[in-house]
Amino acid sequence: GQYGYFKRINLSSSPMADPLFSVKTAFYTGAYRQCVKEAQKLQSGDQAIALECDILMYRAYLAEGKFNLVIGEVESRHGPEFKALTLFARILQNPGEKESVCSEVGNVLNEGAVSVCPDQVALLCANIYLSTGDYDSALRVSNACGSLECSCLALQALLQMNRVDMATKEYKKIQERDEDATVSQLAFAALNIAIADAKTVQTAYYIYQELADKFGPTPILLNGQAVCLLMQNKPEQAEDVLQRSLDKDSVHPETLINLSIVSQILGARESARRYMNQLRDAHPNHPHVTRLAEQERLFDELSARG
């Protein structure tokens, strides 16, 4: 049947065991409003759980681009978790701060090793390295940590380095720990897309579909499906899925980038330009925007010489 390529996801495996199940699921599927709501509802007497819940809530705010809100709220709170969050917010808000932020990460990691939530500090620091393109440091930190989320982040870093072979080995570790967790399923989908043969792309598509059926479609899940459809040479269907994503979040950066690509494939140059302009307006510091600006600068320089 359609699920023949992978063990059908047992999505009901962990909610009872993990008090943060709904907060984590909302965060990892990209339902950031829902994540914040779930986090604010949670009452826990366990200090580590309460702290991890706060961190997930602040990461959801960061994903929505609310950098000043996060910096304003966490700067006055003590502990390496909040220092790491502040650094993460700073680098996302201004990628030009790379040098100064990365110079502070080492100290925060050392403090984090003896904190209430050492895994959370490691995960935040690995995310900082990942966002600056320092994949080796991201891998070093996540491998030393060994939590499920850090393993999934290591897989992400390996895929960015085009090391599908090593990412496949990393996934074996994830599978042994908890292949049914939402974050593990998303890692498996990303790996299948990177392997990029017809069978694995179809598997990835079904993973995104099943997560969307269970938890509701989000821009992250819809973009995953759209990428699969593009790889299957179905640009019209990809465009339909991306339009649904745009209805949910009109400034979602990956949606705008993918719509621009789909528009080019379909020969709609005007639309492609419009989506890129929307991206520039909404996310002037997005890596895709800075890369394009650099390419345009080089092109202009070469033209001037010509």
Side-chain angles (χ1 to χ4, degrees):
Q2 65 181 47
Y3 298 103
Y5 307 135
F6 68 109
K7 187 176 90 56
R8 188 170 175 129
I9 312 171
N10 176 10
L11 289 167
S12 58
S13 67
S14 10
M16 296 315 291
D18 184 355
L20 291 174
F21 179 82
S22 54
V23 184
K24 284 180 184 172
T25 299
F27 177 75
Y28 283 112
T29 57
Y32 301 122
R33 290 283 79 225
Q34 183 67 17
C35 174
V36 169
K37 265 194 269 183
E38 294 288 343
Q40 288 169 342
K41 274 195 308 203
L42 186 101
Q43 301 290 321
S44 177
D46 182 314
Q47 192 191 358
I49 288 172
L51 198 51
E52 186 177 347
C53 181
D54 277 358
I55 292 165
L56 282 160
M57 179 184 74
Y58 285 126
R59 287 177 68 197
Y61 280 132
L62 290 180
E64 290 185 317
K66 294 178 177 162
F67 310 124
N68 291 327
L69 180 149
V70 173
I71 292 168
E73 285 196 22
V74 305
E75 265 186 329
S76 58
R77 293 182 70 171
H78 296 297
E81 298 84 4
F82 297 110
K83 281 186 192 167
L85 269 170
T86 303
L87 291 176
F88 195 22
R90 275 173 51 198
I91 197 80
L92 291 172
Q93 187 170 35
N94 181 8
E97 279 204 52
K98 182 175 167 177
E99 301 295 320
S100 71
V101 165
C102 287
S103 69
E104 294 177 55
V105 173
N107 291 335
V108 173
L109 267 172
N110 292 337
E111 279 180 55
V114 291
S115 69
V116 179
C117 289
D119 288 358
Q120 289 301 311
V121 178
L123 183 61
L124 285 164
C125 290
N127 263 299
I128 291 167
Y129 285 132
L130 188 68
S131 68
T132 62
D134 184 351
Y135 303 129
D136 290 331
S137 298
L139 282 172
R140 189 186 74 245
V141 173
S142 38
N143 288 335
C145 162
S147 72
L148 181 67
E149 281 94 344
C150 273
S151 262
C152 292
L153 186 134
L155 183 141
Q156 207 182 335
L158 290 163
L159 291 181
Q160 304 244 14
M161 296 163 83
N162 295 318
R163 292 304 305 267
V164 175
D165 54 334
M166 288 173 73
T168 304
K169 282 184 191 148
E170 190 66 42
Y171 181 69
K172 296 256 183 343
K173 285 192 243 169
I174 293 166
Q175 211 173 9
E176 282 160 21
R177 293 196 51 161
D178 184 359
E179 67 177 342
D180 294 329
T182 307
V183 69
S184 307
Q185 286 298 322
L186 289 165
F188 188 41
L191 176 62
N192 277 302
I193 284 174
I195 294 168
D197 66 38
K199 193 171 159 183
T200 63
V201 171
Q202 192 60 30
T203 298
Y205 183 87
Y206 287 137
I207 292 171
Y208 292 124
Q209 185 60 55
E210 189 144 348
L211 289 169
D213 288 346
K214 178 79 181 177
F215 302 119
T218 61
I220 284 181
L221 299 176
L222 292 167
N223 274 271
Q225 287 194 305
V227 168
C228 295
L229 289 165
L230 267 183
M231 293 174 82
Q232 294 170 327
N233 293 320
K234 298 174 181 171
E236 288 89 357
Q237 281 174 260
E239 188 181 30
D240 289 344
V241 172
L242 290 167
Q243 287 296 347
R244 282 172 57 208
S245 177
L246 202 62
D247 289 342
K248 293 188 174 297
D249 179 353
S250 62
V251 291
H252 185 253
E254 280 67 38
T255 305
L256 292 169
I257 292 165
N258 286 329
L259 272 168
S260 167
I261 292 165
V262 168
S263 299
Q264 282 173 329
I265 291 167
L266 294 172
R269 290 217 178 98
E270 270 307 303
S271 296
R273 247 199 306 276
R274 191 178 308 120
Y275 291 126
M276 283 322 299
N277 287 336
Q278 281 175 259
L279 180 71
R280 283 191 187 95
D281 280 350
H283 307 279
N285 289 327
H286 192 280
H288 193 79
V289 173
T290 46
R291 256 199 315 275
L292 277 179
E294 181 60 16
Q295 284 169 1
E296 283 165 10
R297 192 184 61 74
L298 288 170
F299 180 76
D300 290 344
E301 268 181 27
L302 290 168
S303 306
R305 282 186 210 157

